[in-house]
Each structure stands twice: as C-alpha cells, then as structure tokens.
Amino acid sequence: MFRHTLLLGAIALCLLCHALHIEGDRLRSTIQELKEDGQTKRILTSLKSNSIEMTAFGEDSSSWGQPYYAVHQTTSGGPGDSYYGLHVTTDVYSHNLKPGQQTSTAIWVNHVGDGVKSSLNTISIGWHIYPEHYGDSHPHFYTDWTRDGYAQTGCLNMDCPGFIRVNGAVIAPGDVIHPVSGVPGGRVQNITLRLHKDKTSGDWWVYYGLNGIPTGVGYFPRSLFTYLAEKANHVAFGAFVDAEKALPTPPMGSGVLPNGGKGHAASFTNLQLIDKDGNSSPIKANLPELITKAKCHSIRHIDHSQCLYGGPGGCV
C-alpha cells in the first residue's frame, strides 16, 4: 500500500485520487513533478483503486493516461492545520472535446486522514467538460466527494446519495453552464464558487454564482464524513486535464498559457480563505504550486488575490 513519505506526496494524492475516481482507474503508476517555490521534486506514485470504483459508461479505464495538474495548494496535512472553506471566482470556457478527454477547473477541501488512501476525505466543486460522462462537450457545474479515498463512497454530482440540493437553487450539480467565455480575447463569463463548513450544523455548503454574487446550491451533510466532519487540513484550487492514451490532452482553462496575459489566459480572482466562523480573508501571499508539465500547463504566482492559469491542447 502506498505510504505518504512526503507531505507533498500526500497532497498530490488528494488531487490524484480525485482524478482517478472520475476516470474510474483500476491501477496506475505515474511520475509527478511537484513544484514548490521553484524547487522540483519527482515522486513516483502508485495508486490502486477499489474494484467497485466508478467507471464512466463501463469503459475500460486502463486506456487513460495520467492527469496533468496546475494547482495552488496549502502546505498542510498535519494535525494542527485547520481550514473551513475556500472562495474563488473563475472563468468558464467551452472546447470541443471527444469521449476519452476531460478538462476540469476546481477547488478542493481535503483531510488526508491518518496518511493512507482509505482515510482520505475530500470535496471538490467546479466546472468541467467531460463527454465520457455527459455525452456532450459542454462545460458542466459539478460536485464530487468521498470519505475513504473512493474505496466505497463518493460520486460525481448526485449520482449517489450524498449532496443535498436546496429548493429553488439556481443550478444543480451536473447542469450545463451558459453563457461561456469567448476564446481568445472574447467576453469573459465567470462563476463564483464558495465551499465552506457551516459553524452551527457542521455541514459543508456549496455556493454558486454566474457573473454575480453566489447563492446556496446545497450541502454535503457533516454525517457523510469522518475527518471532514470536524475540519479540513488542506485546500487547493486549480485545474487538471486528462485523456485516453490514444488521444491528445485537451485544453486547460482557455487553452492559453498564463504568459498569454489577462483576457487570454484563464484566471482565478477574489481568492479567499474562510475561517471557522464563516469570515473570509483574501489570499495575499503566494501558495506552493503543483505543476506536472510546466511547458504545457501552468499557474502563475498569486498577486492581489488573483492568478492566471491554463495551457493548450495537444501538448502532451
């Protein structure tokens, strides 16, 4: 069984488990390039999922390649690290993807548990284009969760019991997002995402807003989780792409690297951490980065609570 010998390895596992779950991987070994403050470490990661893990549309997932990440994350995962939510605004784009390709932009709240995959608790929300799951190439709002590293629990959207949508919510997990940003340099359409732990109930609430103030969509009950029932000890935001080995990787974000500049590259703005009492504070200092292939996909340093990210399709 894989053991977390390095802190960054544990953080990478949180994100990789998420991607492996969505694709339904049964066994995969990958070499990750983890980039933190300019220092690159190579970590060999071998991940094996439970046999009941979801496989989209019953396809043989052994044909999928490794996911490629461009992510900002907290250097956390220890017993003293406490997080209660994350708030971001991010652009939404449309690309013509084929079944066997996926592009995703998301925020994550995690608790790495006792250091083994089966104790990982995680929630992620964001937008993705995933023809294998939806049968189309539109961007969809999505949610995802597990309390045991996807061994026996968790799913996308409301494909299993878990997420509870509130009456009158403006969107449901899995719905298409419209309108979307023009590429390149067209009018930018964005969504504001907020995921935080309610102080009174302990539930994890999801908020969503299209070009405006986010409103409540629903919540993940506290009772779903073990470690996340109390708090998170790691949060992250960013993007990943993946594809079957026979296909090129799709675009990340707008499909433009961050050096393309604002209005061309995709962005995160209004970055905020949320404390135990529900109060928000801007993320002003830069956070460590996880970038798996910098020439193809990247994310810029945080400046004034915002950053650019993305990369072209077909690079890998």
Side-chain angles (χ1 to χ4, degrees), residues 97-145:
L97 270 59
K98 301 176 181 178
Q101 294 177 312
Q102 180 188 182
T103 182
S104 177
T105 295
I107 63 177
W108 293 264
V109 296
N110 307 301
H111 198 297
V112 299
D114 61 10
V116 297
K117 180 188 172 186
S118 60
S119 66
L120 170 66
N121 284 215
T122 186
I123 300 170
S124 64
I125 64 172
W127 68 269
H128 63 180
I129 303 173
Y130 189 14
E132 197 95 7
H133 188 77
Y134 299 103
D136 62 48
S137 191
H138 301 302
H140 291 252
F141 169 66
Y142 81 92
T143 62
D144 186 64
W145 72 278

Side-chain angles (χ1 to χ4, degrees), residues 215-263:
T215 57
V217 174
Y219 61 94
F220 293 94
R222 181 181 187 274
S223 59
L224 280 180
F225 302 102
T226 52
Y227 294 95
L228 274 181
E230 300 303 322
K231 64 174 185 177
N233 64 2
H234 169 258
V235 297
F237 64 89
F240 73 87
V241 297
D242 201 359
E244 291 185 353
K245 295 172 184 177
L247 295 173
T249 53
M252 177 185 288
S254 68
V256 177
L257 283 163
N259 59 14
K262 190 173 182 180

Side-chain angles (χ1 to χ4, degrees), residues 30 37 40 185 201 215 305:
T30 62
D37 297 330
T40 300
S201 66
T215 57
S305 301

